[in-house]
Amino acid sequence: MQVLYLTSSFRKNGNTARVVDLLRQEIQDQWKAGNDLLTFEIINLCEQPLQYCRGCRICFDRGETFCPYWEEIAPLKTALREADVWILASPVYVDDINGLMKTFLDRIAHVNHRPEFAGKYTWLLTTSGTGSSGHAARTLASTLRTWGVYIIGQRDFVCGGLSSREDLSVRYHAVLAGIARKIITTVTRMKSQTPSFLSLLFFRVQQRLWQRHVEDSIDYHYWESRGWVDPGVTYFYAHRTNPLIVAAARFTGTIIAGFFQ
């Protein structure tokens, strides 16, 4: 199992970094999957040359490699592609993800149109000083469901201004152990083969939009070439979700899609 820890805090030894490192240690300690290897990569976006999205639409209209700043995104996409599971970690700023994580999502927005990471796994992690409404995690979740990524879970860690690694370990050891256990179980048992109601609903909304708006664009041809506009296709890949859940998600998604032009 290859794990990618993608963080967006400018404080390289702050609460987010410390919680991520504690989770990494828990996963490493619990990893018992025969002879399979456990590898990991840590990327802090503050160390990446990541400029703001200019809104030029080139990635939508011509393809992401035509982006004038493609060299900034290419290695990040490679890391996402090679990992089996992602830990996305952001501090909470004004009850949302911080600007750096949002910039990353903006710069990779073409994946919202062409969900090449469908089937990957992720855990969403946020840190806050005094608590969070959960809006930051929902920002991440809504994007990743559009990508077809299986969301294992999410958790906000209340850390105060700055907590020591030892204090965070004592306070959250049981929580982090549970998260590590759930990540390992989900990936090794291939639970992405049972996408949730929300994931199926997100797919149906996108599918209906592409079925209605047939056009000569790389986005449409991407969906068409993968068979995703076929009326009989219910998700990005074959799955085992209960047919009643599938039917309910498709019905609801069809209604929602009707509100879009």
Side-chain angles (χ1 to χ4, degrees):
M1 181 172 76
Q2 184 163 337
V3 186
L4 171 65
Y5 300 87
L6 188 70
T7 71
S8 62
S9 176
F10 286 94
R11 302 169 72 181
K12 296 182 181 180
N13 196 30
N15 291 327
T16 305
R18 290 172 179 175
V19 173
V20 165
D21 188 58
L22 287 169
L23 178 57
R24 180 197 60 77
Q25 188 63 55
E26 282 291 344
I27 294 174
Q28 184 172 315
D29 291 345
Q30 292 187 32
W31 180 250
K32 298 174 183 177
N35 294 320
D36 292 342
L37 293 176
L38 173 67
T39 59
F40 68 90
E41 180 178 7
I42 299 176
I43 296 178
N44 192 327
L45 293 173
C46 77
E47 298 173 343
Q48 305 299 309
L50 202 59
Q51 301 185 59
Y52 292 124
C53 175
R54 302 301 201 265
C56 65
R57 291 189 54 88
I58 288 178
C59 64
F60 295 153
D61 299 335
R62 297 178 61 191
E64 62 269 25
T65 58
F66 289 94
C67 172
Y69 306 105
W70 167 244
E71 70 280 357
E72 297 175 1
I73 290 298
L76 296 176
K77 285 194 67 176
T78 297
L80 291 169
R81 191 177 299 114
E82 292 178 349
D84 300 302
V85 57
W86 314 331
I87 311 298
L88 297 189
S90 171
V92 174
Y93 288 4
V94 197
D95 204 35
D96 209 335
I97 56 175
N98 72 343
L100 191 52
M101 181 63 79
K102 184 60 169 65
T103 296
F104 166 71
L105 296 180
D106 291 344
R107 289 295 309 280
I108 203 168
H110 57 274
V111 182
N112 290 56
H113 291 213
R114 303 186 290 276
E116 63 188 88
F117 299 123
K120 296 290 187 181
Y121 297 89
T122 189
W123 183 278
L124 309 178
L125 187 159
T126 59
T127 61
S128 58
T130 58
S132 167
S133 70
H135 180 73
R138 289 194 294 274
T139 296
L140 291 170
S142 63
T143 297
L144 295 174
R145 285 195 180 95
T146 303
W147 295 5
V149 174
Y150 186 96
I151 299 173
I152 302 171
Q154 61 193 55
R155 172 77 190 216
D156 179 63
F157 291 82
V158 180
C159 305
L162 181 63
S163 297
S164 69
R165 191 180 191 279
E166 293 71 22
D167 179 55
L168 290 170
S169 179
V170 170
R171 199 185 324 169
Y172 288 118
H173 174 73
V175 172
L176 290 165
I179 292 173
R181 187 161 50 250
K182 188 171 183 180
I183 289 171
I184 292 170
T185 300
T186 299
V187 176
T188 55
R189 294 184 181 178
M190 301 180 66
K191 290 191 175 182
S192 66
Q193 294 183 12
T194 54
S196 68
F197 173 87
L198 277 178
S199 294
L200 294 164
L201 185 152
F202 271 56
F203 174 84
R204 180 56 174 168
V205 171
Q206 294 175 86
Q207 182 186 54
R208 286 297 295 141
L209 293 177
W210 289 120
Q211 288 171 340
R212 288 208 317 254
H213 300 289
V214 178
E215 57 187 45
D216 185 20
S217 69
I218 62 172
D219 291 338
Y220 176 78
H221 291 307
Y222 188 92
W223 275 72
E224 182 186 43
S225 67
R226 284 155 179 77
W228 294 342
V229 294
D230 188 314
V233 173
T234 60
Y235 198 55
F236 296 109
Y237 48 82
H239 60 88
R240 301 193 301 259
T241 301
N242 186 305
L244 292 177
I245 296 176
V246 175
R250 290 180 68 75
F251 176 76
T252 308
T254 299
I255 293 175
I256 293 173
F259 290 96
F260 292 88
Q261 296 297 324

